[in-house]
Amino acid sequence: MSNVMRDSQILAQIKDENLCYMSDMALELAQMADDSGLATLAYLFRMAALEASTVNSVLAEPDDLPRQMTSH
């Protein structure tokens, strides 16, 4: 495996972990907002969590994305 491929896999893994963390944190903040009676803020945090988890699942399936390099 080339260094470039390995580096891009490491970066993808870091991005994946960051998105999971963002999603988890947004859900925790949504719960805190709910507990404080801030329904609109809770809704916004839930949307942020959904966005992070959606991006995460798209990145987890690289075969569906167009290839950046073509093999000739």
Side-chain angles (χ1 to χ4, degrees):
M1 182 185 310
S2 72
N3 284 344
V4 173
M5 284 180 65
R6 189 178 66 237
D7 290 351
S8 66
Q9 283 184 338
I10 290 169
L11 288 174
Q13 184 177 354
I14 291 170
K15 186 177 282 187
D16 186 53
E17 289 170 3
N18 286 344
L19 286 167
C20 285
Y21 175 76
M22 287 170 56
S23 182
D24 290 347
M25 285 304 298
L27 287 174
E28 283 187 38
L29 290 167
Q31 186 59 55
M32 289 170 63
D34 256 347
D35 294 345
S36 303
L38 303 170
T40 303
L41 191 58
Y43 172 79
L44 290 174
F45 280 126
R46 284 200 180 86
M47 290 299 102
L50 179 64
E51 188 74 22
S53 65
T54 301
V55 169
N56 201 15
S57 66
V58 168
L59 289 177
E61 300 167 7
D63 292 340
D64 295 341
L65 299 175
R67 297 275 179 218
Q68 288 185 350
M69 296 171 56
T70 54
S71 56
H72 291 234

